[in-house]
Amino acid sequence: MNKPTENGFATAIKMVSGKWKLDIICELGATPRRFGRLRQSIPAISEKMLTQQLRELEADGLVNRKVHPGSPAKVVYSLTENGSTLCAGAEGLCRWGEQFHC
């Protein structure tokens, strides 16, 4: 009988692996944002990388992408329920990191 090799922590790390995913999750945890605003709030990220990371987060069920009709179409990104719970957990990790870094 094969045992699963991943535990909950490994699953969480896999879902947020990527240099910018936690930054994106934290920014969207504050408020839903359009792509341009999200890009402005994380100045060091390229548009290509932001697009890639958002797609991965959406595929993992952590980010919701809502397209509002119009010309041009308005796209708003927000956290899903799972993304919100991850954001709450990430806040504790961020606080720990700030204390460790100082």
Side-chain angles (χ1 to χ4, degrees), residues 19-30:
K19 184 174 180 179
W20 303 104
K21 287 185 180 178
L22 281 177
D23 293 284
I24 294 167
I25 289 169
C26 289
E27 289 297 327
L28 294 178

Side-chain angles (χ1 to χ4, degrees), residues 21 47-57:
K21 287 185 180 178
E47 287 189 23
K48 179 183 175 187
M49 184 56 67
L50 179 57
T51 299
Q52 178 184 335
Q53 300 276 276
L54 283 168
R55 286 180 182 159
E56 290 174 12
L57 288 166

Side-chain angles (χ1 to χ4, degrees), residues 20-97:
W20 303 104
K21 287 185 180 178
L22 281 177
D23 293 284
I24 294 167
I25 289 169
C26 289
E27 289 297 327
L28 294 178
T31 185
R33 300 210 177 156
R34 293 177 70 178
F35 184 89
R37 283 281 183 193
L38 191 53
R39 172 77 172 81
Q40 288 174 347
S41 65
I42 311 171
I45 193 171
S46 69
E47 287 189 23
K48 179 183 175 187
M49 184 56 67
L50 179 57
T51 299
Q52 178 184 335
Q53 300 276 276
L54 283 168
R55 286 180 182 159
E56 290 174 12
L57 288 166
E58 185 181 8
D60 288 339
L62 300 175
V63 168
N64 182 44
R65 179 180 186 267
K66 184 169 184 178
V67 180
H68 299 274
S71 181
K74 178 179 169 183
V75 179
V76 177
Y77 294 92
S78 61
L79 293 180
T80 62
E81 188 175 328
N82 285 338
S84 294
T85 58
L86 179 60
C87 185
E91 287 174 0
L93 188 58
C94 290
R95 282 193 302 274
W96 177 85

